[in-house]
Amino acid sequence: MYAERVLSGMRPTGRLHLGHYHGVLKNWVRLQEEYPCLFFVADWHALTTNYDSPQVIEESVWDMLIDWLAAGVDPSQATLFIQSRVPEHAELHLLLSMMCPLGWLERVPTYKDQQEKLSNKDLSTYGFLGYPLLQSADILIYRADKVPVGEDQVPHVEITREVARRFNHLYGREPGFEEKAQEAVKKLGSKRARLYYELRTRFQQEGEETALERAHALLEEAQNLSMGDRERLYGYLEGSSKMILVEPEALLTHAARMPGLDGQKMSKSYGNTIFLREEPESVTKKIRTMQTDPARVRRTDPGDPAKCPVWQFHEIYSDDDTRDWVQKGCRSAGIGCIECKQPVIDAVLKEQAVMRERAQPYVEDPSLVRNIIADGCERARKLAQETMRDVRESMGLSYS
Ligand code: TRP
Ligand code: SF4
């Protein structure tokens, strides 16, 4: 019933590195061409774990946005904004908190995991428990149906689906729903109405998913329906409530796992990163001094790429010929490690040169980024306000 829409967010907790580029941003860049996309800076989410050091967040916000732009996220295609500048997220979070069972939040795996992992911080706070619910509000407020996330975030999308379902069940029951829905069916015209009932029966009695899909297609084609009737007809297909909030789906990012300089996953906490817009000299030095197969003590010792983190970089950055050259040269001690690293250095620098160039105007004139965000916040806010109108009304909060 609602247009397809992609939404994703990132916490501003420091400079972005190549892991973010290959794991997340490249995917966003691809998606922005296919769908209407909203990408936002999740500054409130960053506060749930960094409430004692908010400076880091403040410092990271604009730099992170420049990194996004450098990676090719395009403000003329996607809407970019900052979470805290759309306060409706907080209102929806509060309202959802009224009906979200405590147990749902306590059972989210990241809750205990993160508390253990960040044991130097006291994360037994109200805000941290609510982290996934705030994320639900982020998603539901835009009626986004697609949420690109990494595997660790899938439980958060899952709880969002449950929250949406519960919300629709609790607040989507308007008095006389059944009658209103039947009136709306008539407006489809007799032929379509008959088909609608037939498909509804097939879905409700036989659980036929294809019948549901066909019915959705039928409603999409029906031009003369009001917003309200359209929602009723979608809700009536599945049960007896209006669909006020839309259940989203996780879009799992199947990105290549970006190795760090030591062969482990690239991550700030391992100190094995190359920053997105790092100086070429510094990048060159980092790769030159990277660990290689420990068996290659002398230049004449043969090695095994499978035991070398540099090989993992070749897997991401090199073509077949170069990889072949590495495999043969390493195993036969035909090439040295410095020689082997050069194509990687060249490829990383080339990738970064493009990004630095894209970033240049924004670094020189920060007001450009401020304007992009002002624009994005305004657009996001309009969408958020539309949803909040429906939410307030269905919860009985639109007194007049
Ligand atoms: N929790 C996400 C992360 O740590 C960030 C995030 C916040 C998010 N709100 C979101 C991602 C909504 C997708 C949709 O990566
Ligand atoms: Fe690693 Fe290349 Fe050296 Fe082999 S030659 S150990 S793959 S850096």
Side-chain angles (χ1 to χ4, degrees), residues 7-11 28 40-42 45 83 89 131 134-139 147-150 152-153 156-157:
L7 171 117
S8 200
M10 204 187 275
R11 284 170 300 145
W28 287 11
F40 72 97
V41 178
H45 276 104
Q83 185 183 36
H89 289 227
Y131 185 113
L134 179 57
Q135 187 162 346
S136 299
D138 297 338
I139 299 167
V147 185
V149 283
D152 61 316
Q153 296 289 313
H156 295 173
V157 179

Side-chain angles (χ1 to χ4, degrees), residues 141-161:
I141 206 161
Y142 299 105
R143 295 176 158 138
D145 60 331
K146 296 181 183 58
V147 185
V149 283
E151 215 160 341
D152 61 316
Q153 296 289 313
V154 171
H156 295 173
V157 179
E158 204 44 53
I159 195 176
T160 302
R161 296 171 60 84

Side-chain angles (χ1 to χ4, degrees), residues 127-294:
F128 187 66
L129 178 68
Y131 185 113
L133 193 63
L134 179 57
Q135 187 162 346
S136 299
D138 297 338
I139 299 167
L140 297 173
I141 206 161
Y142 299 105
R143 295 176 158 138
D145 60 331
K146 296 181 183 58
V147 185
V149 283
E151 215 160 341
D152 61 316
Q153 296 289 313
V154 171
H156 295 173
V157 179
E158 204 44 53
I159 195 176
T160 302
R161 296 171 60 84
E162 279 161 25
V163 167
R165 222 173 292 147
R166 183 166 163 83
F167 186 97
N168 291 337
H169 178 73
L170 285 170
Y171 307 113
R173 290 162 191 258
E174 45 177 358
F177 175 81
E178 190 98 18
E179 292 72 30
K180 284 186 187 162
Q182 285 161 2
E183 279 306 306
V185 177
K186 283 190 197 145
K187 294 181 192 155
L188 289 171
S190 61
K191 216 170 119 198
R192 281 205 173 124
R194 211 173 320 120
L195 181 59
Y196 176 91
Y197 279 125
E198 186 193 315
L199 293 168
R200 177 173 183 265
T201 309
R202 271 167 47 195
F203 174 67
Q204 293 197 347
Q205 294 180 8
E206 329 290 338
E208 254 185 69
E209 288 290 338
T210 51
L212 185 64
E213 280 162 28
R214 281 185 58 200
H216 283 181
L218 182 145
L219 292 178
E220 253 160 59
E221 283 165 22
Q223 304 277 323
N224 59 336
L225 291 172
S226 69
M227 241 333 208
D229 277 344
R230 190 174 291 274
E231 278 176 43
R232 273 177 209 107
L233 290 182
Y234 273 98
Y236 192 49
L237 280 171
E238 296 181 59
S240 59
S241 55
K242 266 203 326 188
M243 209 163 108
I244 300 158
L245 298 177
V246 175
E247 287 181 43
E249 191 184 352
L251 280 187
L252 254 190
T253 320
H254 295 289
R257 167 182 164 278
M258 179 70 199
L261 292 162
D262 56 0
Q264 294 187 80
K265 181 180 168 207
M266 188 176 281
S267 157
K268 192 174 59 176
S269 50
Y270 297 144
N272 61 1
T273 59
I274 296 173
F275 295 109
L276 209 82
R277 292 178 284 136
E278 190 161 336
E279 285 304 312
E281 298 73 40
S282 164
V283 174
T284 306
K285 194 166 151 215
K286 277 185 178 173
I287 299 177
R288 284 237 172 93
T289 52
M290 250 175 99
Q291 275 261 11
T292 60
D293 178 359

Side-chain angles (χ1 to χ4, degrees), residues 76-93:
S76 70
Q77 298 193 76
T79 302
L80 309 183
F81 67 98
I82 299 173
Q83 185 183 36
S84 64
R85 299 253 300 256
V86 186
E88 284 79 6
H89 289 227
E91 184 184 354
L92 183 58
H93 176 224

